[in-house]
Amino acid sequence: MEESELGRKRKLEKVTVKFAGDSGDGIQLIGSQFTVSTAIYGNDFAIFPEFPAEIRAPAGTTYGVSAFQIQFGAIDIMTPGDEPDALVAFNPAALKVNLNLIKPGALVILNIDEFDEINFKKAEWNSIIKGEENLDEILSKYEVIKVQMNKLVIDALKDVNLPHKEKLRSRNFFALGLVCWIFMRPLEPILKFIKENFGKKPEIAKANELALKAGYNYGETLEIKHKFVKIEIPKYKFEPGKYRYVSGNEAFALGILAIKEKAKIPVVFASYPITPASDILHYLESYRNFGIIALQMEDEISAVNTAIGASFAGALGITATSGPGLSLKSEGINLAVMTELPLIVIDNQRSGPSTGMPTKTEQTDLLFALFGRHGESPLIVIAPISAGDCFYSIIEAAKLSIKYMTPVIILSELYIAMGSEPWKIPDINKIPDIEVKFWKDGSKFYPYSRDENTLARPWAKPGTPGLEHRIGGLEKSHIYGRVSYDPQNHDFMVKLRAEKIRRVQTDIPDVEVYGEEDAELLVLGWGSTFGHIRAVVERAREKGWPVAHAHLKYINPLPKNLPDILKKFKRVLIPELNLGQLLLLIRGKFLVDAVGFNKVTGTPFKESELMMAVEKELMNMEKEGKLSKPIHIQEGRFEEKEKGGAVKHATA
Amino acid sequence: MQQLEEKNISQVVINYTPKDFDSGEEPRWCPGCGDYAILNAVRSAFAELSKELGIPKEKFVIVSGIGCSSRFPYYMNTYGMHGIHGRAPAIATGVKVANPDLSVWVVTGDGDGLAIGGNHLIHAMRRNIDIKILLFDNRIYGLTKGQYSPTSVMGQITKSSPYGVIERPVDPVMLALSQGTTFIARAIDRDIKRLTEIIIEAGKHKGTAFIQIYQNCVVFNDKAFDDFAGKEVRSERVIELKHGKPLLFGKNLDKGIIIENGRPKVVKIGENGITEDKITVYDETDFYLNFVIATMHYPDFPEPIGIIRRVKVPTFEELLYNQIEHAKKLKGEGNLQKLIDKNSWEILPS
């Protein structure tokens, strides 16, 4: 952190802000508007919304808290941040659940009008109710701004013709205005949003606009009265181009539209509502004018089978779900493996087993995606590494699924399904076409003949004269595709299906190593943890530690060069949000003495804990004499001080 | 193999005989199985439908689940998918929405369609997607060798109910009625002429067509329907439903059904002042009448056979494609670049 020469404005390289309140407080709305303003201001950012599992949990309760976290900065931001530097809490419950999560010295903005006995009771804040401690003591470690938001909003809206209760609903915009002032965000994009979205209700639009401006102006009074200063986050040097922000779910939906355009075949998306995948269905249903066929089916099983039926008929069948739904789809996926039809199954992983914690994130379906079906059932597994990557991953999945006539599972995760990041908008014209070859020639047609390179069988769609044929779940004879119980044929077909998936290796990129030259410890991740691991490895390397990062997006088949990469390092550390699933695979497949760093808290990694894991492993290596140069790490030395820093210091 | 290959060569003229729908695969059903009769009926019906509606062979798709009946697609020279247990209606739904131009048929059984696949059957019916569902009902699990099924009768002794079935059976027609199915019929395997006619009518129907076919399992539940379906008793114990015609039955058509206080009643013409004009005239579009007739079962009543219900309702795929066209008119044909560019901002080169 450095002080600006211009005066009292403080400069920070990056900052993490969290808004928290009741699910009815409009937290997600102001979060997304703060994000838009941040984007237009020119910072890089990553966001993560948190929803309560209950739809309308009783107001003021801890389990009804909805939150929105954003990290933004002048540097490349890869995660939504560990501990917030600033928290806006709309009620005691929102403060209570976040108190342990924020940084010491953080800026805490409270709507103090809601901090009354009733709300402390609703939040079950017993120590305060019993008088064992008071709010000021609890918050002594923080920089606190108590704002009478209810009163200030009512004052600001005195000329607005709305009932009192309705006026109070604009509190979120007041808070947003204040936070925009603190971090010097422009109000124009938010005012534009208000005009566009509340235009039909002019009084509400007016209320929100006035509240926003009142919050912003309140910042000015803070500056004068309390010498509080604005905080400047210099702009990030984005690559020139068009940007938007996108969540993983929206990126999947847009990717599916791109598939339809590039493959020039019908796309049938059949799905059943499940958290956190339903948004893909919502988006696609709203894109009817793109000619996309999106269907809400009666259950998960129907969804996958409808998709398979569509693929049989010459469309591309796609379905999306989360863990419990993937369990139900196993049998259907196997039918696609056996009939060798294209199919894409999106699995937005969430905390399990069983219903688990549906609004929490995890990477626990890896082995299930690979092996969770009866029989030898190979298929392609792709794990997108960021929200924006979901767009490219599903296009890639379509290409491979059609080329190799095989189902593909896309292992995404709640964290990137719901989280967002700035996304450089692709030029759709530059995305190559997806090649589709339907078999036409009736004189040379055998349903289980093979392309000699890919080993794919022909795609012969109903309606084509002369290609009438029958497929199904029973084992079929090689080439002719007749029902076969022949032992040698089965052995041959099992191996052939496995070999077909192995050959996909020729179509996937090699795994790249970040910082390979001198490194001795490889941190190997997969899927959604990319941002966290890369941020940590970057910092470790800045310290001069011999660490490298490789990240797997293709889980099956694994990239061709992976065994060679693994051999180059003295140790492989595999951080995962599970109990070591990739670890088991890597150890089992390559006889590599990899070690895991695992947690299953339902939350993404924190950069700090990953950093400590890297540090610990380097110390182990040093003790074992496995490092070529000593690195002098002191135990417990690591602290989150180098960049960012708490906002507290920003007050004069 | 050679024979198969030759058969697959396209035929241009739509003048098929039932034999043209023979895939050349030899059926693996038990000798005497009712499925053979149904297979012949379907081949004849398809040949007829091709001529009448101009459907070339390559536009027929048959989807099945698991069970004896579900081997059916292998024996038909059409496109076919032998799916997984109970899921045929879902697979068929995918086929139909992907290409509404196809004539899509589902072959299922009482176990496949009413137990493990009950949910998909219900939802296909209520959507009115244009698929034709042939439910081979033999009141037993055949392929797993003789366990009771959802249509097995109370007290039925089977391998899994040695002391008798203690579950009440599903009535497939009542189920179909409850879901607003737009074509519902019942047929008997051995009355192959009538069965063929009903399949043809199903093929012409736009929307979900459901046919319950009483099918004899010669090995595990032989003679299950003989009490009313046997040739020598059939005319007295079965009533043929005919739209617009009085509900008459009996060898001499001297018996009939009247509806009294909302309930069906068997009457004899000439007795108690009953004349033919008193007999209820069947209306396949009258839901309440369809429902009352569907409650009739042998031995309390003659078993109703034929088209129980047929109404015209827009199909699922029509509504779906109309909605797509409507959305295009409303919002304009989707432009992906424009959609992605929405809410974007530009970073200019510095």
CSV table of all heavy atoms in Angstrom, one decimal, chain A residues 248-297:
chain,number,residue,atom,x,y,z
A,248,GLY,N,-20.3,-18.9,-14.9
A,248,GLY,CA,-20.1,-20.2,-15.6
A,248,GLY,C,-21.4,-20.7,-16.3
A,248,GLY,O,-21.4,-21.2,-17.4
A,249,ASN,N,-22.5,-20.5,-15.6
A,249,ASN,CA,-23.8,-21.0,-16.1
A,249,ASN,C,-24.2,-20.2,-17.4
A,249,ASN,O,-24.7,-20.8,-18.4
A,249,ASN,CB,-24.9,-20.9,-15.1
A,249,ASN,CG,-24.9,-22.1,-14.1
A,249,ASN,OD1,-24.3,-23.1,-14.4
A,249,ASN,ND2,-25.5,-21.9,-13.0
A,250,GLU,N,-24.0,-18.9,-17.4
A,250,GLU,CA,-24.3,-18.2,-18.6
A,250,GLU,C,-23.4,-18.5,-19.7
A,250,GLU,O,-23.8,-18.6,-20.9
A,250,GLU,CB,-24.3,-16.6,-18.3
A,250,GLU,CG,-24.9,-15.8,-19.4
A,250,GLU,CD,-25.0,-14.3,-19.0
A,250,GLU,OE1,-24.5,-13.9,-18.0
A,250,GLU,OE2,-25.7,-13.6,-19.8
A,251,ALA,N,-22.1,-18.7,-19.3
A,251,ALA,CA,-21.1,-19.1,-20.4
A,251,ALA,C,-21.5,-20.4,-21.0
A,251,ALA,O,-21.4,-20.6,-22.2
A,251,ALA,CB,-19.7,-19.1,-19.8
A,252,PHE,N,-22.0,-21.4,-20.2
A,252,PHE,CA,-22.5,-22.6,-20.8
A,252,PHE,C,-23.6,-22.4,-21.8
A,252,PHE,O,-23.6,-22.9,-22.9
A,252,PHE,CB,-23.0,-23.6,-19.7
A,252,PHE,CG,-21.9,-24.4,-19.0
A,252,PHE,CD1,-21.9,-24.6,-17.7
A,252,PHE,CD2,-20.9,-25.0,-19.8
A,252,PHE,CE1,-20.9,-25.3,-17.0
A,252,PHE,CE2,-19.9,-25.8,-19.2
A,252,PHE,CZ,-19.9,-25.9,-17.8
A,253,ALA,N,-24.6,-21.6,-21.4
A,253,ALA,CA,-25.7,-21.3,-22.2
A,253,ALA,C,-25.3,-20.7,-23.5
A,253,ALA,O,-25.8,-21.0,-24.6
A,253,ALA,CB,-26.7,-20.5,-21.5
A,254,LEU,N,-24.4,-19.7,-23.4
A,254,LEU,CA,-23.9,-19.0,-24.6
A,254,LEU,C,-23.1,-20.0,-25.5
A,254,LEU,O,-23.2,-20.0,-26.7
A,254,LEU,CB,-23.1,-17.8,-24.3
A,254,LEU,CG,-23.8,-16.7,-23.5
A,254,LEU,CD1,-22.8,-15.6,-23.0
A,254,LEU,CD2,-24.9,-16.0,-24.4
A,255,GLY,N,-22.4,-20.8,-24.8
A,255,GLY,CA,-21.6,-21.8,-25.6
A,255,GLY,C,-22.5,-22.8,-26.3
A,255,GLY,O,-22.2,-23.2,-27.5
A,256,ILE,N,-23.6,-23.1,-25.7
A,256,ILE,CA,-24.6,-24.0,-26.4
A,256,ILE,C,-25.2,-23.4,-27.6
A,256,ILE,O,-25.3,-24.0,-28.7
A,256,ILE,CB,-25.7,-24.5,-25.4
A,256,ILE,CG1,-25.0,-25.5,-24.4
A,256,ILE,CG2,-26.8,-25.2,-26.1
A,256,ILE,CD1,-25.9,-25.8,-23.2
A,257,LEU,N,-25.4,-22.1,-27.5
A,257,LEU,CA,-25.9,-21.3,-28.7
A,257,LEU,C,-24.8,-21.4,-29.8
A,257,LEU,O,-25.1,-21.5,-31.0
A,257,LEU,CB,-26.3,-19.9,-28.4
A,257,LEU,CG,-27.5,-19.7,-27.4
A,257,LEU,CD1,-27.7,-18.2,-27.3
A,257,LEU,CD2,-28.7,-20.4,-27.9
A,258,ALA,N,-23.6,-21.2,-29.4
A,258,ALA,CA,-22.5,-21.2,-30.3
A,258,ALA,C,-22.4,-22.6,-31.0
A,258,ALA,O,-22.1,-22.7,-32.2
A,258,ALA,CB,-21.2,-20.9,-29.7
A,259,ILE,N,-22.6,-23.6,-30.3
A,259,ILE,CA,-22.5,-25.0,-30.8
A,259,ILE,C,-23.6,-25.1,-32.0
A,259,ILE,O,-23.3,-25.6,-33.0
A,259,ILE,CB,-22.8,-26.1,-29.7
A,259,ILE,CG1,-21.7,-26.1,-28.8
A,259,ILE,CG2,-23.0,-27.4,-30.4
A,259,ILE,CD1,-22.0,-26.9,-27.5
A,260,LYS,N,-24.8,-24.6,-31.7
A,260,LYS,CA,-25.8,-24.7,-32.7
A,260,LYS,C,-25.4,-24.0,-34.0
A,260,LYS,O,-25.6,-24.5,-35.1
A,260,LYS,CB,-27.1,-24.1,-32.1
A,260,LYS,CG,-28.3,-24.3,-33.1
A,260,LYS,CD,-29.6,-23.8,-32.5
A,260,LYS,CE,-30.7,-23.9,-33.6
A,260,LYS,NZ,-30.6,-22.9,-34.6
A,261,GLU,N,-24.8,-22.8,-33.8
A,261,GLU,CA,-24.4,-22.0,-34.9
A,261,GLU,C,-23.2,-22.7,-35.7
A,261,GLU,O,-23.2,-22.7,-36.9
A,261,GLU,CB,-24.0,-20.7,-34.4
A,261,GLU,CG,-24.1,-19.6,-35.5
A,261,GLU,CD,-24.1,-18.2,-34.8
A,261,GLU,OE1,-24.8,-17.9,-33.8
A,261,GLU,OE2,-23.3,-17.4,-35.3
A,262,LYS,N,-22.3,-23.3,-34.9
A,262,LYS,CA,-21.1,-23.8,-35.6
A,262,LYS,C,-21.3,-25.2,-36.1
A,262,LYS,O,-20.6,-25.6,-37.0
A,262,LYS,CB,-19.9,-23.7,-34.6
A,262,LYS,CG,-19.6,-22.3,-34.2
A,262,LYS,CD,-19.1,-21.5,-35.4
A,262,LYS,CE,-19.0,-20.0,-35.1
A,262,LYS,NZ,-18.7,-19.2,-36.3
A,263,ALA,N,-22.1,-26.0,-35.5
A,263,ALA,CA,-22.3,-27.4,-35.9
A,263,ALA,C,-23.4,-27.5,-37.0
A,263,ALA,O,-23.5,-28.4,-37.7
A,263,ALA,CB,-22.6,-28.3,-34.8
A,264,LYS,N,-24.3,-26.5,-37.0
A,264,LYS,CA,-25.4,-26.4,-37.9
A,264,LYS,C,-26.3,-27.6,-37.8
A,264,LYS,O,-26.8,-28.1,-38.8
A,264,LYS,CB,-24.9,-26.2,-39.3
A,264,LYS,CG,-24.1,-24.9,-39.5
A,264,LYS,CD,-23.5,-24.7,-40.9
A,264,LYS,CE,-22.7,-23.4,-41.0
A,264,LYS,NZ,-21.4,-23.5,-40.3
A,265,ILE,N,-26.5,-28.1,-36.6
A,265,ILE,CA,-27.5,-29.1,-36.4
A,265,ILE,C,-28.4,-28.7,-35.3
A,265,ILE,O,-28.0,-27.8,-34.5
A,265,ILE,CB,-26.8,-30.5,-36.1
A,265,ILE,CG1,-25.8,-30.4,-34.9
A,265,ILE,CG2,-26.1,-31.1,-37.3
A,265,ILE,CD1,-25.3,-31.7,-34.4
A,266,PRO,N,-29.6,-29.3,-35.1
A,266,PRO,CA,-30.4,-28.9,-34.0
A,266,PRO,C,-29.7,-29.3,-32.7
A,266,PRO,O,-28.9,-30.3,-32.6
A,266,PRO,CB,-31.7,-29.7,-34.2
A,266,PRO,CG,-31.6,-30.3,-35.6
A,266,PRO,CD,-30.2,-30.3,-36.0
A,267,VAL,N,-29.9,-28.5,-31.7
A,267,VAL,CA,-29.4,-28.8,-30.3
A,267,VAL,C,-30.6,-28.9,-29.4
A,267,VAL,O,-31.5,-28.1,-29.4
A,267,VAL,CB,-28.5,-27.7,-29.8
A,267,VAL,CG1,-28.1,-27.9,-28.4
A,267,VAL,CG2,-27.2,-27.6,-30.7
A,268,VAL,N,-30.6,-30.1,-28.7
A,268,VAL,CA,-31.7,-30.3,-27.8
A,268,VAL,C,-31.1,-30.3,-26.4
A,268,VAL,O,-30.3,-31.2,-26.0
A,268,VAL,CB,-32.5,-31.6,-28.1
A,268,VAL,CG1,-33.5,-31.9,-27.0
A,268,VAL,CG2,-33.1,-31.6,-29.4
A,269,PHE,N,-31.5,-29.3,-25.6
A,269,PHE,CA,-31.1,-29.3,-24.2
A,269,PHE,C,-32.2,-29.7,-23.3
A,269,PHE,O,-33.3,-29.1,-23.3
A,269,PHE,CB,-30.6,-27.9,-23.8
A,269,PHE,CG,-30.2,-27.7,-22.4
A,269,PHE,CD1,-28.9,-28.0,-22.0
A,269,PHE,CD2,-31.1,-27.2,-21.4
A,269,PHE,CE1,-28.5,-27.9,-20.7
A,269,PHE,CE2,-30.7,-27.1,-20.1
A,269,PHE,CZ,-29.4,-27.4,-19.8
A,270,ALA,N,-32.0,-30.8,-22.6
A,270,ALA,CA,-33.1,-31.4,-21.8
A,270,ALA,C,-32.6,-31.5,-20.3
A,270,ALA,O,-31.5,-32.0,-20.1
A,270,ALA,CB,-33.5,-32.8,-22.2
A,271,SER,N,-33.3,-30.9,-19.4
A,271,SER,CA,-32.7,-30.8,-18.1
A,271,SER,C,-33.8,-30.8,-17.0
A,271,SER,O,-35.0,-30.7,-17.4
A,271,SER,CB,-31.9,-29.5,-18.0
A,271,SER,OG,-31.5,-29.3,-16.7
A,272,TYR,N,-33.5,-31.0,-15.8
A,272,TYR,CA,-34.4,-31.0,-14.7
A,272,TYR,C,-33.9,-30.1,-13.6
A,272,TYR,O,-32.7,-30.0,-13.4
A,272,TYR,CB,-34.5,-32.5,-14.1
A,272,TYR,CG,-35.5,-32.6,-13.0
A,272,TYR,CD1,-36.8,-32.6,-13.3
A,272,TYR,CD2,-35.1,-32.7,-11.7
A,272,TYR,CE1,-37.8,-32.8,-12.3
A,272,TYR,CE2,-36.0,-32.8,-10.6
A,272,TYR,CZ,-37.4,-32.8,-11.0
A,272,TYR,OH,-38.3,-33.0,-10.0
A,273,PRO,N,-34.7,-29.2,-13.0
A,273,PRO,CA,-34.2,-28.2,-12.1
A,273,PRO,C,-33.4,-28.8,-11.0
A,273,PRO,O,-33.8,-29.7,-10.3
A,273,PRO,CB,-35.5,-27.5,-11.6
A,273,PRO,CG,-36.5,-27.8,-12.7
A,273,PRO,CD,-36.2,-29.1,-13.2
A,274,ILE,N,-32.2,-28.2,-10.8
A,274,ILE,CA,-31.3,-28.6,-9.7
A,274,ILE,C,-30.3,-27.5,-9.4
A,274,ILE,O,-29.8,-26.9,-10.4
A,274,ILE,CB,-30.6,-30.0,-9.9
A,274,ILE,CG1,-29.9,-30.4,-8.7
A,274,ILE,CG2,-29.7,-29.9,-11.1
A,274,ILE,CD1,-29.4,-31.9,-8.7
A,275,THR,N,-30.1,-27.2,-8.2
A,275,THR,CA,-29.1,-26.2,-7.8
A,275,THR,C,-27.7,-26.9,-7.9
A,275,THR,O,-27.6,-28.0,-7.4
A,275,THR,CB,-29.3,-25.8,-6.4
A,275,THR,OG1,-30.6,-25.2,-6.3
A,275,THR,CG2,-28.3,-24.7,-5.9
A,276,PRO,N,-26.7,-26.3,-8.5
A,276,PRO,CA,-26.7,-25.0,-9.1
A,276,PRO,C,-26.6,-25.0,-10.6
A,276,PRO,O,-25.8,-24.3,-11.2
A,276,PRO,CB,-25.4,-24.5,-8.5
A,276,PRO,CG,-24.5,-25.7,-8.4
A,276,PRO,CD,-25.4,-26.9,-8.3
A,277,ALA,N,-27.5,-25.8,-11.2
A,277,ALA,CA,-27.4,-25.9,-12.7
A,277,ALA,C,-28.6,-25.3,-13.4
A,277,ALA,O,-28.7,-25.2,-14.6
A,277,ALA,CB,-27.2,-27.4,-13.1
A,278,SER,N,-29.7,-25.0,-12.6
A,278,SER,CA,-31.0,-24.6,-13.2
A,278,SER,C,-30.8,-23.4,-14.1
A,278,SER,O,-31.6,-23.2,-15.1
A,278,SER,CB,-32.0,-24.3,-12.2
A,278,SER,OG,-32.1,-25.4,-11.3
A,279,ASP,N,-29.9,-22.5,-13.8
A,279,ASP,CA,-29.7,-21.3,-14.5
A,279,ASP,C,-29.5,-21.5,-16.0
A,279,ASP,O,-29.8,-20.7,-16.9
A,279,ASP,CB,-28.6,-20.4,-13.9
A,279,ASP,CG,-29.2,-19.5,-12.8
A,279,ASP,OD1,-30.4,-19.4,-12.6
A,279,ASP,OD2,-28.3,-19.0,-12.0
A,280,ILE,N,-28.8,-22.6,-16.3
A,280,ILE,CA,-28.5,-22.9,-17.7
A,280,ILE,C,-29.8,-23.1,-18.4
A,280,ILE,O,-30.0,-22.6,-19.5
A,280,ILE,CB,-27.6,-24.2,-17.8
A,280,ILE,CG1,-26.3,-24.0,-16.9
A,280,ILE,CG2,-27.2,-24.4,-19.3
A,280,ILE,CD1,-25.5,-25.3,-16.8
A,281,LEU,N,-30.7,-23.9,-17.8
A,281,LEU,CA,-32.0,-24.1,-18.4
A,281,LEU,C,-32.8,-22.8,-18.5
A,281,LEU,O,-33.4,-22.5,-19.6
A,281,LEU,CB,-32.8,-25.1,-17.5
A,281,LEU,CG,-34.3,-25.3,-17.9
A,281,LEU,CD1,-34.4,-26.1,-19.2
A,281,LEU,CD2,-35.0,-26.1,-16.8
A,282,HIS,N,-32.7,-21.9,-17.5
A,282,HIS,CA,-33.4,-20.6,-17.6
A,282,HIS,C,-32.9,-19.8,-18.8
A,282,HIS,O,-33.7,-19.3,-19.5
A,282,HIS,CB,-33.2,-19.8,-16.3
A,282,HIS,CG,-33.6,-20.5,-15.0
A,282,HIS,ND1,-33.1,-20.2,-13.8
A,282,HIS,CD2,-34.4,-21.6,-14.8
A,282,HIS,CE1,-33.6,-21.0,-12.9
A,282,HIS,NE2,-34.4,-21.9,-13.5
A,283,TYR,N,-31.6,-19.7,-18.9
A,283,TYR,CA,-31.0,-19.0,-20.0
A,283,TYR,C,-31.5,-19.5,-21.3
A,283,TYR,O,-32.0,-18.8,-22.2
A,283,TYR,CB,-29.5,-19.0,-20.0
A,283,TYR,CG,-28.9,-18.1,-18.9
A,283,TYR,CD1,-28.1,-18.6,-17.9
A,283,TYR,CD2,-29.0,-16.7,-19.0
A,283,TYR,CE1,-27.5,-17.7,-17.0
A,283,TYR,CE2,-28.5,-15.8,-18.1
A,283,TYR,CZ,-27.7,-16.4,-17.1
A,283,TYR,OH,-27.1,-15.5,-16.1
A,284,LEU,N,-31.4,-20.8,-21.5
A,284,LEU,CA,-31.7,-21.4,-22.8
A,284,LEU,C,-33.2,-21.3,-23.1
A,284,LEU,O,-33.6,-21.1,-24.3
A,284,LEU,CB,-31.2,-22.9,-22.8
A,284,LEU,CG,-29.7,-23.0,-22.9
A,284,LEU,CD1,-29.2,-24.4,-22.7
A,284,LEU,CD2,-29.1,-22.4,-24.2
A,285,GLU,N,-34.0,-21.5,-22.1
A,285,GLU,CA,-35.5,-21.3,-22.4
A,285,GLU,C,-35.8,-19.9,-22.9
A,285,GLU,O,-36.6,-19.7,-23.7
A,285,GLU,CB,-36.3,-21.6,-21.1
A,285,GLU,CG,-36.3,-23.1,-20.6
A,285,GLU,CD,-37.3,-23.9,-21.3
A,285,GLU,OE1,-38.0,-23.4,-22.3
A,285,GLU,OE2,-37.5,-25.1,-21.0
A,286,SER,N,-35.0,-18.9,-22.3
A,286,SER,CA,-35.2,-17.5,-22.7
A,286,SER,C,-34.6,-17.3,-24.1
A,286,SER,O,-34.9,-16.2,-24.7
A,286,SER,CB,-34.7,-16.6,-21.7
A,286,SER,OG,-33.3,-16.5,-21.8
A,287,TYR,N,-33.8,-18.2,-24.6
A,287,TYR,CA,-33.2,-18.0,-26.0
A,287,TYR,C,-34.0,-18.7,-27.0
A,287,TYR,O,-33.4,-19.2,-28.0
A,287,TYR,CB,-31.8,-18.5,-26.0
A,287,TYR,CG,-30.8,-17.8,-25.0
A,287,TYR,CD1,-29.7,-18.5,-24.6
A,287,TYR,CD2,-31.0,-16.5,-24.6
A,287,TYR,CE1,-28.8,-17.9,-23.7
A,287,TYR,CE2,-30.1,-15.9,-23.7
A,287,TYR,CZ,-29.0,-16.6,-23.2
A,287,TYR,OH,-28.1,-16.1,-22.4
A,288,ARG,N,-35.3,-18.9,-26.8
A,288,ARG,CA,-36.1,-19.6,-27.8
A,288,ARG,C,-35.9,-19.0,-29.2
A,288,ARG,O,-36.0,-19.7,-30.2
A,288,ARG,CB,-37.6,-19.5,-27.5
A,288,ARG,CG,-38.1,-20.5,-26.4
A,288,ARG,CD,-38.8,-21.6,-27.1
A,288,ARG,NE,-39.7,-22.4,-26.2
A,288,ARG,CZ,-39.3,-23.3,-25.4
A,288,ARG,NH1,-38.1,-23.7,-25.3
A,288,ARG,NH2,-40.2,-23.9,-24.6
A,289,ASN,N,-35.7,-17.7,-29.3
A,289,ASN,CA,-35.6,-17.1,-30.6
A,289,ASN,C,-34.3,-17.4,-31.4
A,289,ASN,O,-34.1,-17.1,-32.5
A,289,ASN,CB,-35.7,-15.5,-30.5
A,289,ASN,CG,-34.7,-14.9,-29.7
A,289,ASN,OD1,-34.3,-15.5,-28.6
A,289,ASN,ND2,-34.2,-13.8,-30.0
A,290,PHE,N,-33.5,-18.2,-30.7
A,290,PHE,CA,-32.3,-18.7,-31.3
A,290,PHE,C,-32.5,-20.1,-31.9
A,290,PHE,O,-31.7,-20.7,-32.5
A,290,PHE,CB,-31.1,-18.8,-30.3
A,290,PHE,CG,-30.5,-17.5,-30.0
A,290,PHE,CD1,-31.1,-16.6,-29.1
A,290,PHE,CD2,-29.3,-17.1,-30.6
A,290,PHE,CE1,-30.5,-15.4,-28.8
A,290,PHE,CE2,-28.8,-15.8,-30.3
A,290,PHE,CZ,-29.4,-15.0,-29.4
A,291,GLY,N,-33.8,-20.6,-31.8
A,291,GLY,CA,-34.1,-21.9,-32.3
A,291,GLY,C,-33.6,-23.0,-31.5
A,291,GLY,O,-33.6,-24.2,-31.9
A,292,ILE,N,-33.1,-22.7,-30.3
A,292,ILE,CA,-32.6,-23.8,-29.4
A,292,ILE,C,-33.8,-24.5,-28.8
A,292,ILE,O,-34.8,-23.9,-28.5
A,292,ILE,CB,-31.7,-23.1,-28.4
A,292,ILE,CG1,-30.8,-24.2,-27.7
A,292,ILE,CG2,-32.5,-22.5,-27.3
A,292,ILE,CD1,-29.5,-24.3,-28.5
A,293,ILE,N,-33.7,-25.8,-28.8
A,293,ILE,CA,-34.8,-26.6,-28.1
A,293,ILE,C,-34.4,-26.9,-26.7
A,293,ILE,O,-33.5,-27.7,-26.5
A,293,ILE,CB,-35.1,-27.9,-28.9
A,293,ILE,CG1,-35.5,-27.5,-30.4
A,293,ILE,CG2,-36.2,-28.7,-28.2
A,293,ILE,CD1,-35.5,-28.7,-31.3
A,294,ALA,N,-35.0,-26.2,-25.8
A,294,ALA,CA,-34.7,-26.4,-24.4
A,294,ALA,C,-35.9,-26.9,-23.7
A,294,ALA,O,-37.0,-26.4,-23.9
A,294,ALA,CB,-34.3,-25.0,-23.7
A,295,LEU,N,-35.8,-28.0,-23.0
A,295,LEU,CA,-36.9,-28.7,-22.4
A,295,LEU,C,-36.7,-29.0,-20.9
A,295,LEU,O,-35.6,-29.4,-20.5
A,295,LEU,CB,-37.1,-30.1,-23.0
A,295,LEU,CG,-37.2,-30.1,-24.6
A,295,LEU,CD1,-37.2,-31.6,-25.0
A,295,LEU,CD2,-38.5,-29.4,-25.0
A,296,GLN,N,-37.7,-28.7,-20.1
A,296,GLN,CA,-37.7,-29.1,-18.7
A,296,GLN,C,-38.4,-30.5,-18.6
A,296,GLN,O,-39.6,-30.5,-18.9
A,296,GLN,CB,-38.4,-28.1,-17.8
A,296,GLN,CG,-38.4,-28.5,-16.4
A,296,GLN,CD,-39.0,-27.5,-15.4
A,296,GLN,OE1,-38.8,-26.3,-15.6
A,296,GLN,NE2,-39.8,-28.0,-14.5
A,297,MET,N,-37.6,-31.5,-18.3
A,297,MET,CA,-38.2,-32.8,-18.3
A,297,MET,C,-38.7,-33.2,-16.9
A,297,MET,O,-38.6,-32.5,-16.0
A,297,MET,CB,-37.1,-33.8,-18.7
A,297,MET,CG,-36.6,-33.6,-20.2
A,297,MET,SD,-38.0,-33.3,-21.4
A,297,MET,CE,-38.7,-35.0,-21.3
